[in-house]
């Protein structure tokens, strides 16, 4: 059992590397491996291929890896916090918060809020404000199920307001909002990757310091408390990390669905463990795999049809996960 | 020694009045009382999950309310009722969680921790279950795994809420024998139960919650008839 884990420590990074290179090299313009290398070693701003690699391909690949890993980790935290395999990174309404501010921003009709930077800004504000609201509730709600219900209620309430905002919006603004809602991994510029990367690193480091509590939490809140865990500070940490990871990805890429729900379950099934040190690794690496594959499919279909990433994650993801569940659990 | 003196126990209104109650290392005591009389409330108060309404509980002369949560977990192991296992959590991982109060923030498990847990598996007699998934175990196996987890927690006291509910006759005997053995090895054991026959047959000292909401300690098990009249 643990030897399977050790094998995966070597095998999965290799397959991730292969996938990442395939991802960088795939697209409308044919790019060779040597061009990829030379774009790093001797960048030529007049070489179109070099510009494509540096400005579009590499950022997109890195975004995909970080988004897949971040959302999977956020989903893992929420599933453990609520002891519910149906929880995901958006269960506390972070995506509805972002959607609300994006809709509000585009409605103003100001061109800034319709630009990529404006949408990013409003989504960031929405994700974090709603993360903070949930965090405030978690301070005084003792019961974790109440917190879950409050999160879902806030999400529904906000979505209702968003739909009212959209109904009084112009068709153009509605289109901007809809496009954001479909999710996209190609809008992130090379300079912005740093923000996603830093928040990912902060999130993971903070998560590692909470591993003892998170592991004990699988036995339930009472048992964890009896094992000496401070539930309140653990809960606040888990919600903060989720808000940071999911909020950052949602702001930059839109609400990418399914990954954060499926990968934590897949990780538990494949690695057969409740040890969150192993599960953290599993979610990072499997989440990155999954989103890279999903995005590769959208790239391959691009000459024929533009498929939104959200359609692919569910379209290929759902049957695949079902197959694994049926095979592993009989 | 766990010591209670002149204490009122309950969630918001008083359930039980305790004049005196003690549990020393090496002792085993059965907590008897009718449904709804506050057995679980008492056990939860003892483990500082809810505060006492009046008075102080002390462990080895230190008031429990002043102790760090982690410190309490190094003194008292608690086994709640109705653990059903967790998907993906194998028995050995479950027992390792008993080491939680001794781990750093990162949850790093040392070789010593593993040795202690292997020994706990052996004491509970469930070495064969080491790699089994907890959600696939029977109630009897789960209870033994929970006791092994409490042993791994390496506390002078173990408190259990109805450890033999849902168990068949043979498994009840196994659990009771194990609890008695642990007390003989020096642990202080307190468990709530409705198994008056078992308690009386093994002559286990009884703490009874009476119909008048008082707590009475018996050094020897009184007759079943007397207990029934007193408590039910």
């Amino acid at each position: 059992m643990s030897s399977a884990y050790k094998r995966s420590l070597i095998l999965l990074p290799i397959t991730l590397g292969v996938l990442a290179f395939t991802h960088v090299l795939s697209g409308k313009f044919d790019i060779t491996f040597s061009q990829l290398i030379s774009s790093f070693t001797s960048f030529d701003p007049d070489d179109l291929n070099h510009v494509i690699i540096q400005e579009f391909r590499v950022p997109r690949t890195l975004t995909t890896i970080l988004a897949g890993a971040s959302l999977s980790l956020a989903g893992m935290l929420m599933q453990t916090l609520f002891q519910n395999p149906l929880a995901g990174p958006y269960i506390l309404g972070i995506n509805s918060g972002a959607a609300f501010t994006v809709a509000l921003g585009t409605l103003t009709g100001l061109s800034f809020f319709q630009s990529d930077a404006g949408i990013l800004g409003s989504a960031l504000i929405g994700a974090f404000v709603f993360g903070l609201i949930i965090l405030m509730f978690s301070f005084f709600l003792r019961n974790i199920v109440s917190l879950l219900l409050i999160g879902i209620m806030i999400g529904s309430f906000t979505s209702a307001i968003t739909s009212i905002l959209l109904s009084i919006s112009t068709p153009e603004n509605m289109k901007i909002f809809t496009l954001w809602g479909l999710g996209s991994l190609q809008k992130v510029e090379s300079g912005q990757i740093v923000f996603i990367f830093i928040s990912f690193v902060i999130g993971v480091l903070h998560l590692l310091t909470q591993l003892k509590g998170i592991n004990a939490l699988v036995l339930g809140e009472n048992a964890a408390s009896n094992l000496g865990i401070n539930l309140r500070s653990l809960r606040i940490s888990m919600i903060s990390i989720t808000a940071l990871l999911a909020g950052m990805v949602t702001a930059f890429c839109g609400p990418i669905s399914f990954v954060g729900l499926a990968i934590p379950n897949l990780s538990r099934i494949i690695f057969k463990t409740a040890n969150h040190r192993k599960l953290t690794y599993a979610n990072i690496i499997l989440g990155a795999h999954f989103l890279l594959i999903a995005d590769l499919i959208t790239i391959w279909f691009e000459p024929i049809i533009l498929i939104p990433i959200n359609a692919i994650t569910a379209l290929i993801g759902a049957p695949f996960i079902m197959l694994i569940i049926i095979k592993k659990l009989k | 020694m766990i010591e209670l003196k002149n204490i009122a126990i309950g969630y918001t209104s008083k359930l039980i009045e305790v004049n005196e109650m003690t549990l020393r290392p090496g002792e085993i005591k059965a907590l008897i009382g009718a449904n709804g009389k506050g057995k679980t409330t008492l056990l939860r108060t003892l483990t500082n999950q809810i505060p006492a309404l009046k008075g102080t509980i002390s462990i080895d002369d230190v008031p429990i309310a002043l102790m760090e949560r982690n410190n309490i977990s190094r003194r008292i192991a608690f086994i709640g009722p109705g653990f059903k296992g967790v998907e993906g959590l194998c028995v050995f991982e479950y027992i390792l969680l008993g080491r939680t109060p001794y781990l750093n923030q990162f949850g790093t498990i040392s070789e010593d921790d593993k040795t202690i847990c292997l020994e706990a598996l052996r004491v509970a007699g469930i070495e064969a279950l080491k790699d089994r998934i907890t959600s696939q175990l029977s109630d009897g196996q789960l209870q033994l795994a929970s006791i092994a987890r409490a042993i791994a927690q390496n506390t002078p006291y173990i408190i259990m809420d109805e450890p033999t509910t849902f168990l068949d006759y043979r498994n009840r005997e196994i659990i009771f024998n194990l609890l008695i053995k642990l007390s003989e090895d020096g642990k202080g054991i307190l468990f709530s139960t409705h198994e008056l026959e078992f308690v009386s047959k093994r002559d286990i000292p009884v703490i009874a919650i009476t119909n008048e909401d008082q707590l009475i300690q018996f050094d020897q098990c009184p007759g079943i008839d007397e207990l029934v009249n007193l408590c039910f």
Side-chain angles (χ1 to χ4, degrees):
Chain A
M1 187 182 65
S2 66
S3 72
Y5 175 71
K6 277 175 195 148
R7 245 180 290 139
S8 76
L9 282 179
I10 305 164
L11 192 68
L12 286 176
I14 295 174
T15 54
L16 184 66
V18 172
L19 265 178
F21 276 114
T22 316
H23 190 267
V24 171
L25 299 178
S26 303
K28 207 174 359 177
F29 298 94
D30 282 327
I31 284 169
T32 63
F33 193 73
S34 62
Q35 282 169 327
L36 174 65
I37 301 296
S38 68
S39 83
F40 280 96
T41 53
S42 53
F43 178 69
D44 176 4
D46 295 329
D47 185 334
L48 183 63
N49 282 330
H50 281 190
V51 174
I52 288 173
I53 292 169
Q54 293 288 329
E55 293 300 319
F56 298 99
R57 294 289 179 83
V58 172
R60 182 172 182 170
T61 305
L62 292 178
T63 304
T64 307
I65 291 172
L66 288 170
S70 298
L71 290 173
S72 303
L73 280 181
M76 172 190 89
L77 288 175
M78 288 299 99
Q79 292 184 1
T80 303
L81 181 65
F82 294 115
Q83 302 196 284
N84 190 330
L86 293 177
Y90 298 137
I91 193 92
L92 294 177
I94 287 165
N95 61 333
S96 344
F100 169 66
T101 45
V102 169
L104 200 64
T106 53
L107 186 73
T108 60
L110 296 174
S111 59
F112 169 72
F113 286 114
Q114 294 167 350
S115 69
D116 282 353
I119 291 175
L120 170 65
S122 30
L124 263 181
I125 291 169
F128 283 97
V129 165
F130 278 74
L132 280 177
I133 290 175
I134 282 293
L135 209 54
M136 267 162 47
F137 273 105
S138 78
F139 270 103
F140 65 86
L141 282 178
R142 286 196 64 188
N143 187 334
I144 198 74
V145 180
S146 316
L147 187 65
L148 180 65
L149 289 173
I150 293 278
I152 293 171
M153 289 309 131
I154 291 178
S156 305
F157 186 82
T158 318
S159 301
I161 298 181
T162 305
S163 66
I164 294 173
L165 287 180
L166 288 176
S167 68
I168 54 174
S169 180
T170 63
E172 261 148 54
N173 288 338
M174 206 156 321
K175 191 181 164 201
I176 292 172
F177 177 83
T178 311
L179 281 177
W180 175 80
L182 288 175
S184 166
L185 295 162
Q186 44 196 323
K187 290 233 177 67
V188 183
E189 294 162 19
S190 48
Q192 297 171 336
I193 300 263
V194 180
F195 295 108
I196 305 184
F197 181 72
I198 289 174
S199 68
F200 174 74
V201 170
I202 292 174
V204 172
L205 288 180
H206 191 176
L207 195 162
L208 291 178
T209 67
Q210 301 299 315
L211 276 177
K212 176 172 79 163
I214 297 171
N215 276 333
L217 199 58
V218 302
L219 300 180
E221 292 206 311
N222 279 336
S225 171
N226 284 320
L227 287 169
I229 302 301
N230 182 338
L231 288 180
R232 173 174 288 194
S233 85
L234 176 65
R235 207 189 268 179
I236 290 168
S237 287
M238 292 173 82
I239 293 173
S240 311
I241 299 167
T242 303
L244 179 69
L245 292 178
M248 215 57 172
V249 173
T250 308
F252 280 97
C253 310
I256 295 191
S257 64
F258 198 77
V259 185
L261 173 69
I263 298 302
N265 284 305
L266 190 66
S267 301
R268 273 194 303 271
I269 291 170
I270 291 182
F271 286 88
K272 290 198 196 70
T273 183
N275 180 341
H276 282 72
R277 185 189 303 272
K278 293 177 184 174
L279 287 177
T280 297
Y281 165 74
N283 276 292
I284 290 175
I285 202 124
L286 292 179
H289 270 85
F290 180 81
L291 208 54
L292 275 177
I293 294 172
D295 198 43
L296 265 176
I297 293 177
T298 69
I299 293 173
W300 289 333
F301 273 100
E302 249 164 37
I304 313 163
I305 177 178
L306 280 173
I307 312 176
I309 183 74
N310 265 341
I312 292 292
T313 50
L315 217 54
I316 65 152
F320 174 66
I321 307 273
M322 278 164 67
L323 197 75
I324 286 173
I325 291 174
I326 292 164
K327 253 185 120 177
K328 288 275 175 181
L329 304 178
K330 270 174 279 162
Chain B
M1 180 172 73
I2 300 180
E3 193 175 21
L4 289 75
K5 264 200 170 129
N6 300 320
I7 283 171
I9 278 165
Y11 280 92
T12 46
S13 58
K14 189 184 77 179
L15 267 174
I16 322 167
E17 186 89 42
V18 184
N19 290 325
E20 196 185 2
M21 190 197 124
T22 57
L23 181 70
R24 292 182 176 80
E27 280 183 335
I28 180 164
K29 289 184 173 177
L31 177 63
I32 306 280
N35 288 334
K37 276 291 178 189
K39 292 190 298 299
T40 299
T41 315
L42 174 65
L43 298 183
R44 286 173 64 96
T45 311
L46 280 177
T47 46
N48 207 30
Q49 297 175 64
I50 47 176
L53 293 177
K54 188 193 94 188
T56 49
I57 297 167
S58 59
I59 308 176
D60 303 328
D61 298 323
V62 183
I64 202 169
L66 299 180
M67 289 173 77
E68 294 259 347
R69 199 186 306 264
N70 211 36
N71 244 330
I72 299 172
S73 328
R74 292 180 186 190
R75 312 295 297 161
I76 303 180
F78 179 75
I79 301 175
F83 177 59
K84 290 276 165 234
V86 175
E87 216 165 286
L89 182 76
C90 76
V91 170
F92 194 63
E93 282 181 331
Y94 178 45
I95 295 170
L96 274 172
L97 288 178
R99 300 302 298 160
T100 302
Y102 305 94
L103 302 182
N104 62 19
Q105 274 301 311
F106 303 92
T108 317
I109 289 157
S110 69
E111 284 306 311
D112 281 354
D113 291 318
K114 286 184 183 165
T115 313
I116 290 168
C117 292
L118 287 172
E119 174 63 12
L121 269 175
R122 196 192 59 75
V123 173
I126 50 169
E127 289 118 312
L129 301 179
K130 181 170 171 275
D131 294 324
R132 292 275 300 278
I133 301 294
T134 47
S135 55
Q136 295 166 1
L137 298 181
S138 73
D139 286 329
Q141 291 170 326
L142 269 178
Q143 197 56 263
L144 287 168
S146 292
I147 295 174
R149 197 213 74 208
I151 295 170
Q153 207 173 326
N154 200 18
T155 55
Y157 309 100
I158 298 179
I159 292 180
M160 307 180 76
D161 198 355
E162 303 205 13
T164 56
T165 325
F166 306 123
L167 300 193
D168 62 31
Y169 185 86
R170 181 63 64 200
N171 274 314
R172 276 182 231 180
E173 272 210 325
I174 293 173
I175 298 285
F176 274 117
N177 288 339
L178 181 57
L179 293 184
I180 289 169
K181 183 183 173 303
L182 287 175
S183 73
E184 286 165 359
D185 290 348
K187 287 193 189 290
I189 309 269
L190 174 66
F191 64 100
S192 65
T193 187
H194 292 296
E195 313 282 352
L196 301 185
E197 290 84 0
F198 266 102
V199 170
S200 151
K201 200 169 86 186
R202 303 296 172 94
D203 196 20
I204 293 172
V206 161
I207 294 171
I209 300 174
T210 67
N211 286 322
E212 280 78 41
D213 302 325
Q214 297 289 314
L215 198 101
I216 302 179
Q217 287 199 98
F218 296 92
D219 288 336
Q220 280 171 340
C221 185
I224 292 180
D225 291 342
E226 189 186 338
L227 272 180
V228 170
N229 280 329
L230 200 61
C231 303
F232 298 96

